[in-house]
Amino acid sequence: MPSEFDLIHRYFTRPAKHADLAVGDDAALFRVAPGMQLAVTTDTLAAGTHFFHDTSPYDLGWKTLAVNLSDLAAMGAAPRWATLALTLPTADECWIAAFAEGFFDCAGRYGVDIVGGDTTRGPLAMTVTLLGEVPAGQAITRAGGQPGDDLWISGWPGLAALGLMCLQNRIQLTDSSRALTALHRPIPRVEAGETLRGIAHAMLDVSDGLAGDLAHLCKCSKLGALLDADALPLVPLIAAGADESLACQALLAGGDDYELLFSASPGARDLLAALARKLNLPFTRIGQFTEETSILLVDGSEAPPRPLDVRSYDHFAPPD
Amino acid sequence: MPSEFDLIHRYFTRPAKHADLAVGDDAALFRVAPGMQLAVTTDTLAAGTHFFHDTSPYDLGWKTLAVNLSDLAAMGAAPRWATLALTLPTADECWIAAFAEGFFDCAGRYGVDIVGGDTTRGPLAMTVTLLGEVPAGQAITRAGGQPGDDLWISGWPGLAALGLMCLQNRIQLTDSSRALTALHRPIPRVEAGETLRGIAHAMLDVSDGLAGDLAHLCKCSKLGALLDADALPLVPLIAAGADESLACQALLAGGDDYELLFSASPGARDLLAALARKLNLPFTRIGQFTEETSILLVDGSEAPPRPLDVRSYDHFAPPD
């Protein structure tokens, strides 16, 4: 069996573009460009909690970096450097090779250098810490929302949740391919996040379901929201074979989406429409921020607004 | 049971001194001082691999940060910011409170801000990524050794290995207290590491046994070494109750020491003696770098130098 050192060296040592010293010493060394703030985030994926044990190692490699890229995108930061702490039950070289391929494909796509890591024997889990740069003072936090701001969501939230329900045999879809791809190979909205600097007032990435994450955004911005049920982007979910009720559930209470939820001034609507075309990524206007701190759902009917159930995915909450 | 969000908020949100934005958003934001390079390292501790399941949570909290501090110390960097990814089988609030106390006691002692984290349900493990600053170009890498440099080791290497053997009932010591403290509450040599900038030519922290880590240092510096068996700091190990053979084994092949192994010009001996007194930390001169790339052990006898067994601790190597 190859040693830990051999494995790390063989699969995780690649030339670094933005680092003075990468993998192989006690720490990596790099420089932050003048006028930049550093943004840092960390996320763990653990077998049995975040993915099934038989998930493809290539997909896991991709996703473990992608979920962190999504966090930096939500700040409007450009990703630069990552460390990977990988815990493996055995040193299965085929598994490691495929994992590394997925991981470095994602890193290459988004210009990230792998500058450090640690390999440990134990139950399968991976933790990435990702560092990026953002011009000082221009990061988009969760706290900048203004009353009257439009609320927008990128892409196709809910697809990953449908994919998970499919894998669990809880539902059947007429076309599960997009849903499974969304679950296994999430596309972090890195370009969109950077493009939204100076336009979005508040932003986060939706990883725990739109309803719960909207509640986080409202709380941090000390605002409420009016969500328009008729505006929710259900079409891709229905096209995959979900009925309207299931589509709503997947979008509002699902997880693993990694879309951007953000607020912007109503005056920015034309600009956002143009940016969405340029990015080839839909931005859907789904409601607005309100001074009143409740979160209400309205639709085109004459029914009065009703409170939104804001339960989001929580690893420690008892199952439903 | 409190939710994941409640737990993180309650125990891991503390005011940050060096960050513009800490825990609570998608990423933390901070600035690096002009003229500084950033140093980053990451290390995982996993239950069953790095510690016993019944290890005190306070000690684990301390140690999970300390082992990363040791890596930055070995670069001569000043620690500043850390993220913590914590994987827990259950949300046991007492355990979490004690873990957080140990973790923040260590962070406070060394001036580290906790700027981000992730809490996950799964088998007990913790990954810290630690960031620090070092004046650009002044980091002490593993590669800077010169032929003829003295080799030095800080502190009391081998004590932690004795502590582990005690816990495993493999040995009995007349006084196990220092050995167990070295194992459970390692003191990272942060001040020493910073002090050695401009003096040490090559440095690493000894976490996998002196022999194996010396081999790493030699390989990176493209040199060999002559190690003087009679100079090894065995006295604290013998004082704890180990015989000479056990003491040698613990020092050379043990792990978990977190002492600094470094090389320096013979002209720096007086300066290093003075610094050791000031730091209240012994620096022991144990040999020298050689052009010949083998690692040999000599002693005061007339026996010829013999090759050093450089096996070091490797999580994936089959057990002896």
Side-chain angles (χ1 to χ4, degrees):
Chain A
M1 189 186 272
S3 81
E4 177 183 356
F5 302 114
D6 291 342
L7 285 171
I8 294 170
H9 186 76
R10 196 172 317 159
Y11 291 104
F12 293 102
T13 308
R14 308 256 181 128
K17 286 177 191 157
H18 311 293
D20 302 314
L21 184 67
V23 177
D25 214 298
D26 293 287
L29 296 170
F30 54 89
R31 268 168 257 231
V32 178
M36 291 296 202
Q37 258 173 323
L38 215 73
V40 60
T41 186
T42 194
D43 258 318
T44 296
L45 299 185
T49 300
H50 298 95
F51 59 89
F52 297 108
H53 286 268
D54 61 355
T55 303
S56 125
Y58 180 96
D59 287 348
L60 276 181
W62 176 279
K63 187 165 175 173
T64 194
L65 185 56
V67 301
N68 282 278
L69 285 163
S70 180
D71 281 320
L72 281 203
M75 302 299 285
R80 292 275 185 270
W81 308 275
T83 63
L84 167 67
L86 186 56
T87 304
L88 297 171
T90 56
D92 174 343
E93 192 168 343
C94 288
W95 192 97
I96 291 171
F99 178 89
E101 195 184 347
F103 189 78
F104 281 101
D105 279 357
C106 189
R109 165 70 185 80
Y110 296 100
V112 173
D113 279 342
I114 310 309
V115 294
D118 188 26
T119 314
T120 298
R121 185 195 283 272
L124 185 60
M126 48 239 26
T127 297
V128 164
T129 302
L130 181 65
L131 294 134
E133 290 176 315
V134 60
Q138 293 186 35
I140 308 164
T141 71
R142 298 179 176 188
Q146 300 293 321
D149 272 1
D150 291 330
L151 288 168
W152 298 83
I153 183 88
S154 71
W156 305 277
L159 269 180
L162 287 187
L164 178 62
M165 287 188 263
C166 251
L167 274 190
Q168 293 171 321
N169 292 317
R170 289 166 56 196
I171 61 167
Q172 286 208 319
L173 296 175
T174 47
D175 177 6
S176 62
S177 60
R178 281 191 72 194
L180 291 172
T181 301
L183 177 67
H184 291 311
R185 302 252 186 108
I187 302 295
R189 305 306 184 190
V190 174
E191 291 89 349
E194 289 193 69
T195 301
L196 288 168
R197 286 201 307 258
I199 303 167
H201 293 161
M203 184 155 70
L204 52 53
D205 74 319
V206 177
S207 51
D208 296 329
L210 179 62
D213 281 320
L214 176 58
H216 293 310
L217 200 65
C218 285
K219 192 174 175 189
C220 291
S221 284
K222 300 186 173 67
L223 295 170
L226 206 59
L227 201 61
D228 181 356
D230 292 339
L232 296 175
L234 301 179
V235 172
L237 309 178
I238 288 166
D243 64 26
E244 191 169 322
S245 161
L246 175 61
C248 257
Q249 184 197 334
L251 192 153
L252 291 171
D256 259 0
D257 282 321
Y258 310 104
E259 296 292 356
L260 296 175
L261 173 65
F262 60 96
S263 88
S265 152
R269 288 178 192 173
D270 289 346
L271 176 57
L272 284 166
L275 290 176
R277 278 192 300 275
K278 195 174 149 199
L279 292 163
N280 196 25
L281 176 72
F283 289 156
T284 308
R285 185 158 53 87
I286 56 171
Q288 62 188 98
F289 266 143
T290 58
E291 297 231 35
E292 178 70 45
T293 57
S294 53
I295 302 180
L296 300 173
L297 195 69
V298 290
D299 58 30
S301 74
E302 289 178 16
R306 59 187 193 277
L308 180 67
D309 180 356
V310 296
R311 276 178 308 172
S312 69
Y313 184 70
D314 182 333
H315 302 307
F316 288 124
D320 289 335
Chain B
M1 188 185 275
S3 82
E4 175 182 357
F5 301 115
D6 292 342
L7 285 173
I8 294 171
H9 186 76
R10 197 173 315 159
Y11 290 104
F12 292 102
T13 309
R14 308 258 180 126
K17 286 176 192 157
H18 312 292
D20 302 314
L21 184 68
V23 178
D25 215 298
D26 294 287
L29 296 170
F30 54 89
R31 266 170 260 231
V32 178
M36 291 296 201
Q37 256 172 324
L38 215 72
V40 60
T41 186
T42 194
D43 258 318
T44 297
L45 298 186
T49 299
H50 298 94
F51 58 89
F52 298 109
H53 286 270
D54 60 354
T55 303
S56 125
Y58 180 96
D59 288 346
L60 276 182
W62 176 280
K63 187 166 176 173
T64 194
L65 186 55
V67 300
N68 283 279
L69 285 162
S70 179
D71 280 321
L72 281 203
M75 302 298 287
R80 293 275 185 268
W81 309 276
T83 63
L84 169 66
L86 186 56
T87 304
L88 297 171
T90 56
D92 174 343
E93 193 168 343
C94 288
W95 192 99
I96 291 171
F99 178 89
E101 196 186 344
F103 189 78
F104 281 102
D105 279 357
C106 189
R109 164 71 183 79
Y110 296 99
V112 173
D113 280 343
I114 311 308
V115 294
D118 188 26
T119 314
T120 298
R121 186 195 282 272
L124 183 61
M126 49 241 24
T127 297
V128 164
T129 302
L130 180 65
L131 294 134
E133 289 176 314
V134 60
Q138 293 186 35
I140 308 163
T141 71
R142 298 179 176 188
Q146 301 293 321
D149 272 1
D150 291 332
L151 288 166
W152 298 83
I153 183 87
S154 71
W156 305 276
L159 269 179
L162 287 186
L164 178 63
M165 286 188 262
C166 252
L167 274 189
Q168 293 171 321
N169 291 318
R170 289 166 56 197
I171 60 166
Q172 285 207 320
L173 295 176
T174 47
D175 177 7
S176 62
S177 61
R178 282 190 73 195
L180 291 172
T181 302
L183 178 67
H184 290 312
R185 302 253 186 106
I187 301 296
R189 306 306 185 190
V190 174
E191 291 88 350
E194 290 192 69
T195 301
L196 288 168
R197 286 201 307 259
I199 302 166
H201 293 162
M203 183 155 70
L204 53 53
D205 74 319
V206 177
S207 53
D208 297 328
L210 178 62
D213 281 320
L214 175 59
H216 293 309
L217 200 65
C218 284
K219 191 173 176 191
C220 291
S221 285
K222 300 187 173 67
L223 295 171
L226 206 59
L227 201 62
D228 181 356
D230 293 339
L232 296 175
L234 300 179
V235 172
L237 309 177
I238 288 166
D243 63 26
E244 193 170 320
S245 159
L246 175 62
C248 257
Q249 184 198 335
L251 192 153
L252 291 171
D256 258 1
D257 281 321
Y258 310 105
E259 297 293 356
L260 297 175
L261 173 66
F262 60 95
S263 85
S265 155
R269 288 179 193 175
D270 289 347
L271 176 57
L272 284 165
L275 290 175
R277 279 192 300 274
K278 195 174 149 199
L279 292 162
N280 196 25
L281 175 72
F283 290 156
T284 308
R285 185 158 54 88
I286 56 172
Q288 62 188 97
F289 266 143
T290 58
E291 296 230 36
E292 178 70 45
T293 57
S294 53
I295 303 179
L296 301 172
L297 196 69
V298 289
D299 57 30
S301 74
E302 288 178 17
R306 58 188 193 276
L308 181 68
D309 180 358
V310 296
R311 276 180 307 174
S312 70
Y313 184 69
D314 182 333
H315 302 307
F316 289 125
D320 290 333

